[in-house]
Amino acid sequence: MFPTNHKTIFVLDHTPYFGISSDFPIDFDVSKSRGAGYVPLPPICKSLWTCSVEASVEYCRIVWDLFPEGKLVRFIVSDAAAHILNTWALAQQNLTHILNGLCLVGPVRRGAGGDVVGLCAAIESLAEASPIQSSRPSTERLFQNRGRIICITSARDDDSIRSLAEIALNTLVQQNKKASAAQPPTTTDASTSTQSLVVHYCHLVIINVTPEKAETRVNNQPLTEMGGGLMGVEVIVCRASTLANLLGKLVLPHYRLAITTVTGIPMKEEQNASSSANYDVEIIHSAEAHAGLRASQTAAEATESVVLRWWTPRGAEGGAGGCNGPLWRVTPADVASRPSACLVNFLLNGRSVTLEVPTRKAGCRSASHVLAAQGGELWIGALGGRTPYEDPPALSEGAGGRVTDYRIKEFGALMQQNKIHPLRGIGSNTRARTKLQRHTTYWPLTISSTLIFNLGSVMEPLTRLVVQESLTEDEVETCRGVLLSLLGMETRHEFPSAQLPANLRGKSSGRREEQWRQVWGELEALVRAHSNSSPHRALLRTLLECRSHNHSNEGESSRATVIRATTDSPLSPVGAGNGNGDVWAPRNALDALLGAPRPPRRPDFAGRLTAGNRIATLYPQMQQDVETQN
Amino acid sequence: MPTVILLDVSLSMSRPVPSSDSTENHTRLTIASAAINTFLDYLCVHSKLEYVALVTFSSTYEVTIPFTREYDNIRAKLPHLEEGDKTCIETAFIGVNQLILNEWGYQTPMQIILITDGSIGTGQIGRNRIIQALPLPPTYPVRINVLPVVAPNDQSLQQAIPLYQKIIDLASNTNSTISNTSRGAIYSPDTLNVPGVITAMTRLCEQQYQEFWCSLKCGQLEARVQLFPAPTPASHDGVSATYTISNQLHVIGFISQQDLGTPIALSKHLVIPQAQTNNNTNRENYDTKTPTKEGSSTDGSTDEENISDPSKVPNFCVLLHGALKVESMAAVVQLGVDWWGTLSAWCEAARARRSCLLLSVLRPGTSAAPWLGALDQLGPIDETTTNPESFPIRSWRSYSGGGSGCAWARPHALLADVQKVLRHARKLPDKTQHLYKELNRLRRAAISLGFSELLTCVGGALERECASLGGSAPPECALQLAHAAAALRDPRTALDIKHTLQPLATEFTVSSMSH
């Protein structure tokens, strides 16, 4: 249940020996000599302590970048006493905490003591339950408690290493005895987190660090089992200068990770922004990400870094768009390098990039992985072969595919109006949906199914304003102006289609009266659909006035009422106008929220359907009956 | 999900099936063919886009028909299959694995229908040996169904059932991380004849090949759509609950393709509009829509010719696709509680003109695309919104351990940091603040690494810069450099992490400006 890498403990040797220099000079005056008389800086060497700290911290960085939870690392600094820098608590599992602790420990001081204290403390720490382990109900306490101890020290010879391992094993055995003895009474109140667990397996990695030229009598020792499989001991001898490299390699098998080298990343030069050079960046991620490549790889190749080439994304094509599989977290192997930082920033900005397997064959590319950011973290995903949705059916052959006069431009405008933005606070989604709901209340899909939306500037102020949540007095007035000008056009016996763009004019057929009836009908549907607020209802009354006027014979009296109605104050109470019987509006907030301000539809008169544009006759059967009788 | 029909053509499949009706001579193989035809018929009606391959096996395997949507190729092949020798299931699975990995990679969820005759030809020991040899679980997510063409009371079936169950179980615990596919099952026919097997196959189809219908809503505009392939429930790491796509997808709003970027999708689905009957094409958004499946809309109850041809009835999906393409925008869609997706016009690179509407299902949760901010806080701006934020939203979390800047394991990183300090030192007095900021950063890192040698060295470098100042340099430079160098090496504070180096407060600033 809990793998060995659930718990890792670094034991760092802080004894006086680690204060000595690594004898690996770093020269600061690398490039330009600045003329005569310029005294070069003496090269400096890190101490063994500095080397072991930076290497182990780097190991941690990789672990924590890739596994924000579930993989725990602790630090124990060992000199005369064991300084425990952090606990298993999640709040202490971060680099800042460790670095602060290291500051307090300070550089190596004189004094006695050795790594034994730290190693014993480490084994005791392994017995402490991690937060996840202690959150298990006591009935499920039968999990395997395993862990790894990485001890960075320096021993005289193989014998002292062996005695170190034996001390560790003895401590472990004693520790387990205590823990299992304490087990029976604690089963009753197992909730206490202080209870120590039996350690089922401990992987002890002893890294023997020496300065550059020092002789050592310690030899590498492969993983050997001790104490009947209770402990596995591994000894690695290493120069201080290569310690970081060593731990960088060790972290891979410990957490089943692999390295991908992204090659050929084009980057602008700092000095010379017009040109770009290609860089390589190494990234670390779960070894599973390479599973797809393994088919074409030998075992040796799979453990090596896999080289994949950067495939510059073009537009929306490629990128994470092609990935629909699992994702693994990614962290750069060399976090401080400029190319790494560039790549990380590129991805964090929401761009993604496809990686391809470099092939020698020209013109043949095979995308294999994709890198992208998500949640402020970097991820790698593998691209599969085919997708089940490839070769889709043509949209033009499906439903609605052969309609050619969709109002695409208008819908584009609607999309622009309904663009969403990052806001603060809850309910933003709901507001966006309400707005869309308003904007689409009356929205014919095709050009041929509407007249009013094709009338352009004559109609535009009204169609634009009416979708608003509420209207100001001026806006109602503008809309009234539109209605009145339409009325004027109609009384001048103009065709509404005269306003249409030339290419549409031919299409709208029908007699003039027919067209006007459609215009008024559509307008009514549009305004009625928005009659939620009182200004809207006032507008609707005006519209109904205009319409009723339109359908009655032109008489002075009706004209007068139209004028009165149009000058009606928008603030006048509902029903003040004489068209109040016609105005249908939602009664309560629920109706308004449901956005269903629609007149209940009655099935259309069957006779009209068959009659088409002609006048429908009533009771045709009676006529037939009479004829048959005759 | 692409499907492999894994058909047993071993000699035992050619055994005749006793039947009361003497006019028809059936063997197990012909009954199996009938089952396959039933399966293909079902796909034709419900899932025409599914890819199907036919693999036959006995002691060897053969990819008889590679993955295709032309089901007639498979039908045509069925009567002409060659008989093999003995059933060898493990070999067959090796072949299937190879076929699938080559064609679909290891991420596409697959289905395998194993059609065999229920006799594995071995006893218990042999069965265990077969189980040992099975190349399962495969590296790709798969659901395996077994259809044994055998009478339910057959002795050999009792022997075979544990093997089939093991195959199904192994397939479902694939180590692939997508494994949200549900389990397969054994579909044994009730009687060993054509109708019995067809019933079993129909049951299999209905349980394992459900199409997914939902309505896509944008305000009051709506269209009935099919999602292909059918989406599977998703789970969120850390949360045990699974997320299921609701049958109403609500468009929240629109966003330009550029702002959207390419958030990583859990899965992608074609959005296929379905025909809908409307009495009145003029105002379809007022009418209730009765979704119809293919073919049934042509009932011809209305005399308008348009209605009888669904492709001539305006459909919101087509409009949406066109507008998304023209404006190069994407729609953000709510898929369910706390779950979002995006809709965009998509076309295969190879077939640029055949474009379609594609739904990308994002990871559940509000943080699926961090550069868009929390997805539940996407909303419209109105006049009252004062200076709204714009995309992309910067991440609050800096990458890699808070950039504490002590990754000096590689010498070049250390060099770069030291050079930076020296660059600032050469540009005094303008860069005084920068110099101290960098010095403090360097100091902090050096102290935590116990790297006091570095501080001594940088102190020396600053003194050298001080010494090499030209006569024309303002006096403040020399003072600041000397101050910084001394402060770095002050034994009282050198290793105190809480101490911060401060610039020297100098009155020369004023006088040097007055020159």
Side-chain angles (χ1 to χ4, degrees), chain A residues 321 325 330 382 386 391 449 598, chain B residues 69 103 107 268 282 348 399:
Chain A
V330 164
R386 297 165 68 174
D391 193 12
S449 62
R598 309 168 185 173
Chain B
R69 281 178 182 159
E103 196 131 356
Q107 312 194 52
K268 303 204 165 183
N282 207 12
E348 272 174 51
Y399 208 63

Side-chain angles (χ1 to χ4, degrees), chain A residues 36-112:
Chain A
Y38 192 76
V39 194
L41 286 172
I44 58 166
C45 298
K46 292 172 184 169
S47 64
L48 294 189
W49 168 250
T50 303
C51 289
S52 60
V53 167
E54 68 182 9
S56 48
V57 163
E58 176 68 7
Y59 181 100
C60 273
R61 179 191 69 79
I62 294 170
V63 174
W64 284 331
D65 268 355
L66 296 180
F67 306 99
E69 27 193 60
K71 305 290 176 202
L72 309 174
V73 187
R74 283 179 72 168
F75 273 75
I76 292 175
V77 174
S78 172
D79 44 34
H83 308 275
I84 299 177
L85 296 190
N86 62 341
T87 66
W88 295 127
L90 201 60
Q92 303 192 2
Q93 293 285 320
N94 59 67
L95 279 187
T96 322
H97 189 94
I98 297 296
L99 289 174
N100 285 342
L102 286 168
C103 285
L104 297 177
V105 167
V108 175
R109 276 180 290 265
R110 272 157 220 249

Side-chain angles (χ1 to χ4, degrees), chain A residues 26-29 34 38-41 44-47 49-50 53-54 61 65 95 99-100 102-103 107 244 288-289 291-292 316 320-328 330-337 344 349-350 352 372-379 382-395 398-403 406-408 411-412 415-416 418-425 428-429 431-433 435-437 440-443 445-446 449 525 529 595 598 601, chain B residues 49 51 67 69 103-108 177-178 218-221 228 250-254 261-262 264-268 270 273-275 282-287 309-316 318-324 326-327 329 332 334 340 346 348 351 354-356 358 363 367-368 370-372 375-381 385 389 391 393-395 397 399-401 404 406-410 412-415 418-419 426 444 448-451 453-454 457 461 464-465 495 497:
Chain A
I26 302 169
D27 201 352
F28 284 117
D29 282 320
R34 298 171 73 204
Y38 192 76
V39 194
L41 286 172
I44 58 166
C45 298
K46 292 172 184 169
S47 64
W49 168 250
T50 303
V53 167
E54 68 182 9
R61 179 191 69 79
D65 268 355
L95 279 187
L99 289 174
N100 285 342
L102 286 168
C103 285
E288 271 181 61
C323 175
N324 46 13
L327 301 164
W328 300 275
V330 164
T331 189
D334 180 9
V335 74
S337 81
V344 167
N349 283 339
S352 65
Q374 190 160 275
E377 295 174 287
L378 308 188
W379 303 77
L383 297 170
R386 297 165 68 174
T387 52
Y389 54 82
E390 68 175 26
D391 193 12
L395 212 54
R402 259 181 278 160
V403 178
Y406 285 111
R407 294 170 59 212
I408 284 177
F411 199 77
M415 294 194 323
Q416 295 289 356
N418 284 280
K419 250 186 167 172
I420 42 178
H421 299 263
L423 299 177
R424 293 260 171 265
S428 306
N429 271 193
R431 262 185 294 144
R433 264 169 64 178
K435 188 175 175 189
L436 261 182
Q437 192 88 9
T440 53
T441 328
Y442 178 77
W443 213 94
L445 295 183
T446 56
S449 62
R598 309 168 185 173
R601 273 189 66 79
Chain B
L49 299 176
Y51 282 96
F67 284 99
R69 281 178 182 159
E103 196 131 356
W104 300 97
Y106 63 111
Q107 312 194 52
T108 314
T177 19
I178 335 166
C218 173
Q220 312 258 359
L221 304 174
F228 179 87
H250 288 278
V251 174
I252 299 288
F254 302 90
T262 42
I264 295 170
L266 283 185
S267 59
K268 303 204 165 183
L270 291 179
Q274 291 306 314
N282 207 12
R283 297 185 199 166
E284 53 267 284
N285 47 336
Y286 272 71
D287 290 322
D309 184 355
S311 71
K312 288 185 182 161
V313 180
N315 189 299
F316 168 61
V318 185
L319 169 71
L320 180 65
H321 167 262
L324 288 176
V326 169
E327 300 280 328
M329 289 176 96
V332 177
Q334 180 131 31
W340 287 264
W346 169 82
E348 272 174 51
R351 318 182 58 153
R354 181 170 286 192
S355 169
C356 60
L358 196 68
R363 227 169 36 147
S367 60
W371 55 94
L372 302 185
L375 293 180
D376 60 341
Q377 297 185 358
L378 290 174
I381 44 166
T385 323
E389 283 183 83
F391 300 119
I393 304 274
R394 295 279 156 191
S395 171
R397 183 192 146 175
Y399 208 63
S400 281
S404 36
C406 63
W408 288 340
R410 301 177 193 225
H412 74 85
L414 180 58
L415 277 181
V418 172
Q419 294 294 345
R426 281 172 206 137
R444 202 182 161 76
S448 53
L449 293 180
F451 198 2
E453 296 86 348
L454 177 71
C457 170
R464 189 185 59 180
E465 291 299 328
L495 294 176
I497 189 69

